[in-house]
Amino acid sequence: MKTSATTRLLATIGILLVAASCSGAAADRTSTPSPRPTPAATLAAVVFGSGSYPGYTVVVPVGWSLLTGGQFVLKYVHSGPGPVLGLSVWDVGRVYRDPCQWHGQDYDPGPTVDDLVKALTTQPLRHATKPTAVTLAGYSGQYLEWLVPADIKSSTWTDFDTCDVEPTDGHRNFESWLGTGGMGNRYEQVPGQVDRLWVLDVRGQRLVVDATYSPDTSKDDRAEQQQVIESLRFVAP
């Protein structure tokens, strides 16, 4: 399945979005992304995964966009080098044992919040922080941060020179996880990129809120992102 390059910003999914499909053919990185125009308003988004989930809403400042398909809330929308700042929510199905040499290394971490947190904190190269108890949007879980090594070599936007090649599109991905049912693979864009992760139990459904930013985002950018995170609310499916 061939689609546009926009969601090289955060992930690829197996059906619908403007992205390089994780189950299909090569991505077109040169095409122009087409975000929905967004005033300062409440945006409704959906969860990555193959099941039925609560949706969620966020209140965004002027300049943020909800991409076609509804999974990504982003400030910067581009298909080449530049700041990365956004938020997505995942039903994580499988985690990679190694984010760089990841071929054949995905596994089921187990069903609970604690299972997934253990899998994330033990993934090599990520330098994960110690998980802490947290509540977000009224739901409890655990919070941690992890990052892409700042010194990993990356000669091309979203590609990492020493990492395994994605056979469907030829990109060298630094991978984090797969959505349930293979619906979306979360890979990173640049060295030093940070992911702030809330692993939550939302009405019996384990969901991961992933707020990501690159080192070249500003203090103001990150303050805006924090406002978006704090505005997140889950809604009935």
Side-chain angles (χ1 to χ4, degrees):
M1 177 178 179
K2 185 175 180 180
T3 50
S4 82
T6 302
T7 47
R8 288 296 297 178
L9 290 170
L10 290 176
T12 53
I13 64 174
I15 57 173
L16 41 108
L17 284 184
V18 282
S21 169
C22 61
S23 63
D28 173 12
R29 289 192 175 185
T30 62
S31 60
T32 302
S34 300
R36 300 175 191 173
T38 56
T42 299
L43 301 179
V46 295
V47 174
F48 276 100
S50 62
S52 176
Y53 311 103
Y56 64 97
T57 64
V58 287
V59 179
V60 297
V62 172
W64 285 67
S65 300
L66 180 65
L67 293 187
T68 303
Q71 276 90 345
F72 297 115
V73 182
L74 299 174
K75 180 170 184 179
Y76 296 106
V77 183
H78 42 63
S79 55
V84 177
L85 190 72
L87 181 143
S88 53
V89 178
W90 294 75
D91 174 10
V92 174
R94 302 180 71 80
V95 176
Y96 290 102
R97 297 186 191 277
D98 187 304
C100 194
Q101 274 65 60
W102 49 268
H103 278 174
Q105 295 297 310
D106 58 291
Y107 70 101
D108 183 347
T112 70
V113 167
D114 288 346
D115 290 334
L116 181 55
V117 168
K118 180 179 179 181
L120 297 178
T121 56
T122 56
Q123 192 179 74
L125 304 178
R126 306 309 297 267
H127 304 289
T129 61
K130 183 179 180 179
T132 58
V134 71
T135 299
L136 180 66
Y139 296 95
S140 62
Q142 296 192 53
Y143 172 79
L144 65 133
E145 297 180 9
W146 66 0
L147 52 77
V148 179
D151 59 355
I152 192 170
K153 190 173 182 181
S154 175
S155 300
T156 307
W157 168 249
T158 76
D159 283 80
F160 297 84
D161 296 5
T162 60
C163 292
D164 286 344
V165 175
E166 168 56 59
T168 63
D169 59 21
H171 295 304
R172 291 187 175 274
N173 288 350
F174 191 94
E175 295 274 5
S176 296
W177 60 64
L178 291 166
T180 297
M183 298 299 291
N185 63 304
R186 176 68 175 98
Y187 59 85
E188 306 294 328
Q189 285 64 55
V190 295
Q193 186 170 346
V194 175
D195 289 280
R196 305 177 64 198
L197 305 176
W198 291 258
V199 186
L200 304 174
D201 183 334
V202 181
R203 305 170 196 159
Q205 172 69 55
R206 185 184 66 196
L207 297 176
V208 178
V209 178
D210 179 2
T212 191
Y213 63 86
S214 57
D216 54 350
T217 54
S218 68
K219 183 178 179 180
D220 287 345
D221 281 338
R222 296 177 197 179
E224 285 189 1
Q225 184 185 62
Q226 182 62 29
Q227 293 173 17
V228 173
I229 294 163
E230 292 174 359
S231 76
L232 187 147
R233 299 292 182 270
F234 290 101
V235 298

